[in-house]
Amino acid sequence: MSTFQYVDVFSERPFLGNPVAVVMDTPDISTDGLLRIAQWLNLSETTFLAPPRHPDADYRVRIFTLEREMPFAGHPTLGSAHAWLEAGGQPKQHDVIVQECGAGLVRVRRDSARLAFAAPPLVRSGAVDDDTLSDVSAVLNIDRREILASQWCDNGPGWVAVLLDSAERVKRLQPRTSYPKRMEIGVLGPYPAGHDDAFEVRALFSDHVGALREDPVTGSLNAAVSQWMLESQRITTPFRNRQGSQIGRDGVVHLSSDAAGTLWVGGATRTRMGGDLIVPDSLA
């Protein structure tokens, strides 16, 4: 028997962030078994915690969508750290939790009433090819000329990101609900100068049956596009992004930098549900 928590991430308002299921104590379940549990729970991501293998890590996490395991994802990272702490976890370092995942070691720190992870390096960046931009334009139902800039922003999930002229234009998008190619698209647009928020962000991805879905609040994407905006000198830290308004969520992502230049991606985390998960021996 394993315990689990449903954690609401990136919103200070109840049930308006991005939920993640965090299952504790699962070192003996097979990969196929973990995927089956994730599919049954039917959330965008489910994480499974186990003792660390790396001597510097506090715990090890495996992150599953409904179809695959991912090396890294943002809101599952914060939700997993929150659940681990709620279950009595004690980090080796007083102020930093070290998570071991497919992307390596990821630091998570307690930032006031929030948790924040250190943005991992991109595994792919740089210019986007013309064919991909044509696909992105088709998915978003926009003229290609509306894309002011684009960049590969892949830190694990595979994001390609495009910049539009305003937050309001991003909100007005009416993207397709299916597409023959697999896509992971991030879209952002700036709020006017003096606004409390910097960018409106939307994330679209192909699910396990080929439909295009919109993610409520996406830590990995916000990390990657914020790195892009900082490197291109379009903004300076600290700032915050908004996401999820078009699907009834209220996601707030806080971005800050430390003296070493590390970008920290933070948000609220709250346990909304928990209990026991009975796992049969056949999933071992």
Side-chain angles (χ1 to χ4, degrees):
M1 182 180 295
S2 299
T3 60
F4 75 92
Q5 295 183 39
Y6 271 29
V7 184
D8 195 6
V9 183
F10 286 129
S11 183
E12 296 177 2
R13 299 173 63 194
F15 303 105
L16 290 179
N18 201 355
V20 61
V22 184
V23 184
M24 319 290 286
D25 305 319
T26 58
D28 299 324
I29 303 176
S30 68
T31 297
D32 287 344
L34 297 178
L35 179 59
R36 189 189 303 182
I37 293 169
Q39 290 171 337
W40 181 77
L41 288 169
N42 201 34
L43 294 174
S44 59
E45 283 99 5
T46 298
T47 69
F48 299 90
L49 305 192
R53 293 173 176 169
H54 194 285
D56 295 334
D58 292 305
Y59 62 87
R60 180 166 60 96
V61 65
R62 298 181 69 180
I63 303 168
F64 284 80
T65 69
L66 296 179
E67 63 168 336
R68 60 180 172 137
E69 184 173 4
M70 293 201 300
F72 171 77
H75 96 275
T77 291
L78 295 189
S80 295
H82 171 94
W84 182 78
L85 290 168
E86 288 279 294
Q90 296 293 325
K92 296 172 183 176
Q93 303 178 45
H94 174 68
D95 56 347
V96 176
I97 303 107
V98 180
Q99 170 182 284
E100 179 183 353
C101 60
L105 300 183
V106 177
R107 291 176 293 154
V108 181
R109 70 180 185 184
R110 287 178 263 210
D111 180 14
S112 184
R114 300 185 289 267
L115 292 175
F117 65 84
L122 300 182
V123 298
R124 184 180 185 184
S125 60
V128 182
D129 58 276
D130 287 341
D131 288 345
T132 299
L133 284 177
S134 294
D135 288 329
V136 171
S137 301
V139 168
L140 298 180
N141 279 318
I142 62 173
D143 190 300
R144 169 109 170 241
R145 291 171 293 184
E146 288 195 63
I147 297 176
L148 303 184
S150 62
Q151 172 117 346
W152 285 103
C153 287
D154 183 4
N155 52 14
W159 300 112
V160 56
V162 295
L163 176 68
L164 304 186
D165 68 350
S166 70
E168 287 305 312
R169 183 65 186 101
V170 171
K171 290 180 181 180
R172 293 199 310 272
L173 289 173
Q174 295 183 328
R176 294 190 184 187
T177 57
S178 64
Y179 199 68
K181 294 182 181 179
R182 182 183 184 89
M183 305 296 294
E184 282 89 19
I185 301 172
V187 191
L188 71 161
Y191 278 93
H195 198 280
D196 289 341
D197 304 309
F199 296 98
E200 182 73 19
V201 177
R202 296 180 72 174
L204 304 165
F205 65 95
S206 301
D207 71 8
H208 62 299
V209 295
L212 280 168
R213 298 177 61 184
E214 183 162 356
D215 198 46
V217 204
T218 317
S220 62
L221 177 61
N222 275 276
V225 297
S226 296
Q227 288 168 316
W228 175 29
M229 293 295 100
L230 288 164
E231 289 168 3
S232 59
Q233 299 183 343
R234 289 181 169 92
I235 199 166
T236 58
T237 54
F239 62 94
R240 72 182 193 187
N241 295 337
R242 287 275 177 178
Q243 188 178 348
S245 63
Q246 301 309 296
I247 54 173
R249 305 295 178 89
D250 184 30
V252 182
V253 183
H254 295 261
L255 292 306
S256 61
S257 299
D258 61 21
T262 300
L263 178 66
W264 293 89
V265 184
T269 55
R270 300 287 189 276
T271 299
R272 300 298 181 197
M273 189 185 307
D276 295 326
L277 185 68
I278 301 171
V279 182
D281 293 339
S282 61
L283 294 189

